[in-house]
Amino acid sequence: MIRTFLRMSKTSTTSFFGPWSLPKSQVFFESELTLAFVNIKPILPGHVLVIPKRVVSRFQDLTSEEVTDLWSSVHKIGPTLERHLGCSAMNLAIQDGRDSGQSVAHVHVHILPRKAGDFKRNDDIYEKLEQQNLHKELEKEKEKEAPVDPEVERKPRSAASMAEEAIQYRTLFPENPVSEKN
């Protein structure tokens, strides 16, 4: 399950994504109130997540300082990844609340660098994003009365491949504290 890829020993410096420990090896950017990490199941190359360090399930519950720091981080990370990957655009997405498709109860911004023709229709990316919602998949399977194996449905990447990607992205932010530590 997802937990196998996000669990790590609990210490006072442990970061969390919702209820799961977030391995430092997958984090590539850190600001005062925000972390950015690679996605367990990216839709496109460079699909990353940016979260407030404090676990907050809804955007409306963030402090003004957290909102500012979150979007300042997105503003820095998005264009940097776009240039690095040779992209010409990006989608920024927040699914705010379970009924909107949020699969982890922790505010997170999806950064999705885009290239011309990466999807037949540009809006197809939102369908792909929705397909990542494990809650919706489980509900569909319940209706069919057939069990679903979350590991098979999500097909997560290995922790090692995620760590490799994070190392690559850290080099794009050499002044960042995460890059300086590694």
Side-chain angles (χ1 to χ4, degrees):
M1 269 184 28
I2 297 169
R3 290 177 189 174
T4 28
F5 293 94
L6 296 177
R7 282 273 178 224
M8 69 182 277
S9 63
K10 292 185 179 181
T11 67
S12 60
T13 60
T14 301
S15 299
F16 289 89
F17 179 41
W20 298 294
S21 298
L22 180 61
K24 301 233 181 289
S25 62
Q26 296 170 13
V27 174
F28 67 89
F29 183 91
E30 180 178 3
S31 66
E32 182 183 354
L33 302 172
T34 302
L35 293 173
F37 58 99
V38 297
N39 196 325
I40 194 166
K41 187 180 173 191
I43 293 172
L44 294 166
H47 178 185
V48 299
L49 300 176
V50 184
I51 62 171
K53 289 180 180 178
R54 183 171 66 98
V55 178
V56 172
S57 61
R58 297 294 310 276
F59 185 79
Q60 66 192 11
D61 296 326
L62 293 173
T63 66
S64 296
E65 293 81 11
E66 288 169 322
V67 170
T68 299
D69 195 76
L70 179 74
W71 285 108
S72 292
S73 297
V74 169
H75 186 257
K76 184 172 191 165
I77 295 164
T80 301
L81 286 177
E82 186 179 312
R83 281 189 301 277
H84 174 72
L85 296 167
C87 293
S88 56
M90 74 179 113
N91 285 97
L92 304 174
I94 295 180
Q95 295 159 298
D96 189 30
R98 185 176 179 161
D99 292 336
S100 72
Q102 183 184 34
S103 59
V104 176
H106 188 155
V107 172
H108 54 286
V109 178
H110 293 262
I111 298 178
L112 300 125
R114 301 288 305 273
K115 292 182 178 180
D118 56 8
F119 282 92
K120 189 174 182 178
R121 288 180 339 109
N122 276 328
D123 283 351
D124 287 346
I125 195 153
Y126 299 111
E127 185 176 318
K128 284 286 188 189
L129 195 58
E130 178 64 20
Q131 288 171 357
Q132 285 197 319
N133 185 342
L134 187 56
H135 295 302
K136 296 269 186 204
E137 291 172 16
L138 291 170
E139 287 169 12
K140 284 179 194 173
E141 291 302 319
K142 276 184 191 174
E143 289 172 12
K144 295 179 193 173
E145 295 185 12
V148 63
D149 181 348
E151 286 190 51
V152 172
E153 292 296 319
R154 289 189 53 88
K155 298 177 184 143
R157 299 187 298 158
S158 71
S161 72
M162 293 172 73
E164 286 175 28
E165 184 180 12
I167 289 168
Q168 178 188 15
Y169 293 163
R170 281 184 206 126
T171 66
L172 303 175
F173 307 96
E175 75 290 353
N176 194 266
V178 172
S179 300
E180 293 168 3
K181 292 176 193 171
N182 297 304

